[in-house]
Amino acid sequence: MRGAQSIRQGQARAGWLFVLPTLVLLGLFLAVPVLMALWVSFTDWNGRGSPFASGIGFVGPDNYRELVGKDGGLTRSDFMTSLRNNFYYVLLVVPLQTAFALFLALVLNQRMLKAVGFFRTAFYFPSVVSSVAISLVFLFLFSGGGVVNSMLDAIGVDGPTWFNDSRGLLHLAGDGLGLWNASEPPSALADGGMLGLTWWQWLAGPSVALSVIIMLVVWTTTGTFMLMFMAALQDLPLDVEEAARIDGAGRWGVFRNVTLPHLRPTMLLVTTLGLIGTWQVFDQVYVMTQGGPGKTTLTPAFLSYSYALENQKWGVAAAMAFILFLIIFAMASLQRWIFRDKDALELKRQERRTTKARAAAGSAA
Amino acid sequence: MLSSSRRRQASLAALALTSSLALAACGGGGFEEEGGSDPASSGDGPAELQVLIGSSGDAETQAVEEAAQAWAEESGNEVEVIVANDIAQQLSQGFAGGNPPDLFYVDAGVFGDYAEAGNLYPYLDQMADADDFYPNLVDSFTLDDQAYCAPKDFSTLALQINTEAWKKAGLTDADVPTTWDELETVAQQLTTPDQAGLVLGLGRDRVGAFLVQNGGFWVDGEAGEATATEPTNAEALEYVQGLLDSGSAVLAPDVDAGWGGEAFGTQKAAMTIEGNWIRGAMENDYPDVDYTVAELPEGPAGKGTLLFTQCWGIAADSPNQEAAVSLVEAMTTAEQQLTNAEAFGVMPSRESAQADYVEQFPQDAPFIAGGDYGQGPVNLPGLGPVVADLDSQLEQLKTADVNDILESFQQNAEAELK
């Protein structure tokens, strides 16, 4: 008994030794920076010297209050504007990129298609090109006298000056439908508001400039997610599909009842990765618009960067990062809950019930 | 079951332990000394200076490097010139880590934040001939009555006029506008269906000139107060709005240009208001466009323009401040500044170099004249997001209510400055 235990102890020690490098690295490059940032978000550190030096003032939740509190001024309205922009961005990018990726994967998964390799490469190509390079190309494509406007011109449409156009799409749509006059917003929306923005501002929708970024991101990320869907589709055994066909399912029926359920884990992965990535959008904003025009492409990640590095407001910037983390965490959890496998849960519950019933029957007997 | 949860606890504890050790390591160096009026620090023996510059190109890098090496040889010290990719970020890292470069460029716009945080060592009073710098430039690097650093060089705004369009409109040298009314008249005369009379770049750094000409500005730097709601400012903005409204002036994005110089070079506008950097852009990108430069027209309160400048900042944490001051002295002599002017087209920050400069570059006389009456940028600490918000609102200057813009700036700035 004693001998066996000491052998196990040796194993434990060896185990610790093996994970130690990882623990140290994770601690040093993940846990420590996160904890430091958390500390900074509760101080008025101005970027000079160590944030743990004795002269640094602990300000409690003041930085957070400035961002979401009742009396927040410009900082709060900047932050809320960035959350609004990013919300519309996520709302459009995630469904669009998922739908396109699934569509392309289904097309490429057809056994009849020729030159699959070519198409796969072509669709995946935007994902492997640097986002900065693609952003620059888009700057030229969408400049006022650029290719896109020339093409629109050819079919008689007067294109907007994309990156200088801060008008919101919902405002424009309402204007087009005659719901309101965008230059004179209805007072019901323009007078009231919440958290530093009026209802009218909240309901702006993505601006024309932001929609260019949305197009760009959908185009570049679709390829990656397409690969994930393709991998999952290739896992789907052919016989299952054939069996469904023989049972009388049509094309749509097979897709709806066989393919889609099979893709659920991949769907969860794709939407979760998409959600996290889109809430953290930075590169494109940094390269193309720097938050303009009219702050309509400001995102929390970019705002945090600019408050910290350009304005030495490190505490507020760190607080933004943590609020963004909470938002992402909450939305990702919600997504997991929505995508949970209800059948499997039900099955487990039944099993448990049977075991309990059996045990009860056993003890009764 | 039990053992697995205990193991998890143990690993969490291990993670916490390593983290707290590392945190303690990070917390090691505290910097409590105040930059204030300490004597300049200097080590034993020759110093090794690190100089971080945000260079405009090879010409500037080379000129700075040559001057630095010449100083190093003469003084027996060593200098390393580093060209920054992103100077704000690189400086931030240095300040936070406690090992910033000894000497670096500081833009007037961010000067206030750096000085307020205690990152800068005030040394201007130790310099020989410090009175020779333009007072307006020194003001741009003064916080709470303390002048910190020596202006490196400067730029100002002036009026550029397309010669061909000018002649075509039947205008002569005598018609060069010297008042707001004349500017309005010639802008109207120069406006044709495919050319606007005047194009303005976006934001406070162009429109602000009109505020100065009307005797106002966004803030009073000396008093540390926001002054945007003074009625003179609203009048100035309304004047610009009138120009935009009548169609004789446009904003650069309206003619699909990134800045005034681009719209002027592509001849979408006959006049623009830009700084002396436009000279290089015109030479390189639009060599066929002939133009002249005039001082900005006087407003009701007299002449006014905007200054843009950078200074040589010395780090408060630098161990070689004495050597750094000596290097700055070498970098800012009138002769060196004239050499720089020739190499990469900047204007000397010393008044004693003005006459020589005008002789060498007569076409730049309207720019350098602005050194006497120009106004530096908003340099009060903490106002970064506030002026960014102002710029964002000024994008809509054509249709916006100018009082709303000024009031929201006033309110935001007051909240920050209190």
Side-chain angles (χ1 to χ4, degrees):
Chain A
M1 198 63 192
R2 262 181 88 93
Q5 202 161 10
S6 67
I7 285 175
R8 254 204 219 136
Q9 267 178 357
Q11 280 179 346
R13 213 170 295 143
W16 278 111
L17 208 63
F18 277 118
V19 294
L20 191 67
T22 317
L23 271 186
V24 169
L25 283 181
L26 274 184
L28 203 62
F29 292 108
L30 198 73
V32 173
V34 169
L35 290 178
M36 276 177 84
L38 187 62
W39 165 251
V40 167
S41 75
F42 288 105
T43 67
D44 58 2
W45 186 54
N46 57 18
R48 175 158 193 248
S50 160
F52 301 104
S54 58
I56 306 301
F58 180 81
V59 295
D62 277 8
N63 291 325
Y64 291 90
R65 211 174 282 142
E66 215 179 316
L67 289 174
V68 294
K70 220 167 58 231
D71 308 314
L74 179 64
T75 314
R76 187 182 65 174
S77 69
D78 272 355
F79 187 58
M80 290 303 153
T81 307
S82 75
L83 286 181
R84 176 202 66 184
N85 297 338
N86 216 332
F87 172 74
Y88 286 118
Y89 176 85
V90 173
L91 200 66
L92 283 171
V93 171
V94 175
L96 281 178
Q97 75 190 7
T98 311
F100 275 128
L102 181 60
F103 173 74
L104 290 181
L106 287 171
V107 169
L108 288 187
N109 197 45
Q110 269 163 6
R111 269 160 291 274
M112 307 301 284
L113 191 73
K114 284 191 180 140
V116 172
F118 168 77
F119 285 114
R120 208 168 39 201
T121 314
F123 292 146
Y124 191 53
F125 190 68
S127 303
V128 288
V129 179
S130 133
S131 62
V132 173
I134 288 190
S135 301
L136 288 176
V137 171
F138 264 65
L139 270 186
F140 288 112
L141 286 179
F142 283 90
S143 73
V147 178
V148 172
N149 272 1
S150 308
M151 278 163 62
L152 287 177
D153 213 30
I155 56 167
V157 178
D158 186 17
T161 53
W162 301 90
F163 285 111
N164 294 319
D165 202 327
S166 61
R167 292 174 301 168
L169 289 191
L170 287 182
H171 283 172
L172 287 177
D175 201 62
L177 293 172
L179 292 178
W180 52 58
N181 175 3
S183 50
E184 274 170 55
S187 56
L189 293 173
D191 292 345
M194 174 179 86
L195 292 166
L197 298 191
T198 62
W199 299 120
W200 177 248
Q201 286 170 317
W202 280 111
L203 292 174
S207 71
V208 177
L210 187 63
S211 24
V212 179
I213 302 186
I214 290 174
M215 286 187 245
L216 182 154
V217 171
V218 169
W219 183 63
T220 53
T221 49
T222 297
T224 314
F225 295 138
M226 174 195 77
L227 277 197
M228 293 181 187
F229 278 128
M230 278 178 74
L233 281 174
Q234 278 163 11
D235 269 353
L236 180 63
L238 206 54
D239 2 342
V240 177
E241 202 176 308
E242 268 169 15
R245 282 282 167 96
I246 290 168
D247 284 350
R251 268 177 153 240
W252 172 246
V254 172
F255 174 72
R256 175 81 190 71
N257 297 312
V258 179
T259 316
L260 264 191
H262 172 76
L263 287 178
R264 177 164 43 203
T266 317
M267 194 73 93
L268 174 63
L269 175 73
V270 165
T271 46
T272 309
L273 286 179
L275 189 88
I276 295 173
T278 46
W279 271 109
Q280 294 177 338
V281 56
F282 178 83
D283 306 9
Q284 291 83 4
V285 175
Y286 181 73
V287 175
M288 300 204 283
T289 58
Q290 297 271 323
K295 295 190 178 174
T296 58
T297 62
L298 210 58
T299 65
F302 181 80
L303 191 69
S304 174
Y305 160 84
S306 105
Y307 265 62
L309 285 150
E310 285 162 13
N311 297 302
Q312 320 299 317
K313 294 177 187 289
W314 296 84
V316 175
M320 284 180 198
F322 279 96
I323 293 180
L324 183 60
F325 163 76
L326 288 180
I327 291 173
I328 294 177
F329 186 78
M331 294 196 73
S333 308
L334 180 72
Q335 211 162 32
R336 259 188 73 160
W337 183 76
I338 292 173
F339 274 91
R340 74 198 182 282
D341 191 340
K342 289 175 201 109
D343 297 343
L345 282 180
E346 185 53 33
L347 213 63
K348 226 180 237 172
R349 211 170 294 145
Q350 273 173 3
E351 252 170 41
R352 219 175 295 145
R353 224 173 288 148
T354 336
T355 333
K356 222 181 260 173
R358 265 198 209 130
S363 69
Chain B
M1 231 12 205
L2 196 78
S3 71
S4 95
S5 83
R6 200 176 282 164
R7 217 175 293 150
R8 197 177 305 154
Q9 273 174 4
S11 61
L12 275 179
L15 190 64
L17 185 72
T18 41
S19 323
S20 57
L21 278 177
L23 278 178
C26 293
F31 298 94
E32 284 139 61
E33 73 210 83
E34 285 293 313
S37 51
D38 295 344
S41 62
S42 70
D44 298 328
E48 271 178 57
L49 287 185
Q50 269 200 343
V51 182
L52 184 73
I53 64 171
S55 179
S56 61
D58 287 342
E60 179 167 0
T61 309
Q62 209 179 342
V64 172
E65 233 157 38
E66 273 169 21
Q69 292 317 326
W71 171 84
E73 253 166 57
E74 205 183 294
S75 65
N77 295 306
E78 277 178 48
V79 186
E80 185 192 1
V81 176
I82 304 161
V83 179
N85 294 317
D86 183 339
I87 195 160
Q89 190 213 325
Q90 278 165 275
L91 281 177
S92 293
Q93 278 174 354
F95 293 146
N99 57 346
D102 301 286
L103 196 60
F104 44 85
Y105 287 6
V106 178
D107 191 82
V110 298
F111 156 77
D113 288 334
Y114 287 176
E116 175 89 349
N119 287 318
L120 297 180
Y121 170 68
Y123 65 88
L124 195 67
D125 47 357
Q126 299 173 27
M127 276 187 68
D129 301 329
D131 313 338
D132 188 25
F133 293 113
Y134 288 93
N136 293 345
L137 296 182
V138 174
D139 282 350
S140 298
F141 301 110
T142 301
L143 180 68
D144 298 332
D145 293 328
Q146 168 90 34
Y148 275 74
C149 49
K152 181 169 80 71
D153 44 43
F154 75 107
S155 318
T156 65
L157 295 178
L159 182 69
Q160 289 81 34
I161 301 168
N162 183 315
T163 314
E164 197 189 321
W166 192 257
K167 281 193 189 131
K168 218 182 267 175
L171 296 164
T172 66
D173 286 354
D175 298 315
V176 172
T178 55
T179 65
W180 278 9
D181 287 342
E182 289 176 22
L183 180 67
E184 199 172 346
T185 318
V186 294
Q188 254 161 21
Q189 284 172 308
L190 285 167
T191 303
T192 67
D194 8 87
Q195 197 176 44
L198 173 71
V199 62
L200 284 176
L202 284 179
R204 67 185 191 280
D205 285 339
R206 300 293 174 276
V207 169
F210 292 94
L211 270 62
V212 180
Q213 289 156 12
N214 205 27
F217 199 53
W218 316 109
V219 296
D220 178 344
E222 214 163 312
E225 283 170 359
T227 53
T229 39
E230 299 284 321
T232 51
N233 293 329
E235 282 166 33
L237 286 189
E238 272 159 11
Y239 168 74
V240 179
Q241 201 169 41
L243 289 178
L244 294 171
D245 237 6
S246 71
S248 55
V250 291
L251 296 175
D254 298 340
V255 289
D256 195 36
W259 62 295
E262 187 185 338
F264 184 69
T266 51
Q267 313 215 34
K268 286 173 183 158
M271 296 189 292
T272 190
I273 294 178
E274 284 293 336
N276 31 322
W277 51 80
I278 196 174
R279 179 151 43 89
M282 296 299 287
E283 264 166 32
N284 294 328
D285 299 342
Y286 316 104
D288 303 330
V289 180
D290 281 333
Y291 68 102
T292 54
V293 182
E295 282 181 61
L296 291 185
E298 275 179 45
K303 287 185 176 184
T305 186
L306 297 183
L307 298 174
F308 304 92
T309 178
Q310 294 183 316
C311 82
W312 284 108
I314 295 181
D317 292 333
S318 161
N320 303 311
Q321 286 160 348
E322 212 179 294
V325 173
S326 146
L327 177 55
V328 173
E329 275 177 347
M331 290 287 199
T332 53
T333 58
E335 301 82 61
Q336 182 59 42
Q337 294 202 326
L338 286 168
T339 315
N340 289 351
E342 198 152 354
F344 55 96
V346 290
M347 297 196 297
S349 54
R350 284 186 181 277
E351 285 176 304
S352 60
Q354 184 174 350
D356 288 334
Y357 181 84
V358 174
E359 198 177 310
Q360 233 170 320
F361 305 98
Q363 74 279 20
D364 274 3
F367 288 116
I368 203 160
D372 296 325
Y373 55 81
Q375 159 75 48
V378 174
N379 68 346
L380 293 171
L383 289 191
V386 181
V387 290
D389 185 68
L390 173 65
D391 274 351
S392 148
Q393 295 199 43
L394 286 172
E395 284 174 23
Q396 308 297 333
L397 179 58
K398 192 169 169 181
T399 51
D401 181 337
V402 299
N403 286 311
D404 284 353
I405 297 180
L406 293 168
E407 264 160 36
S408 89
F409 174 86
Q410 183 79 16
Q411 202 182 337
N412 292 332
E414 274 173 3
E416 195 63 50
L417 291 169
K418 70 169 182 244

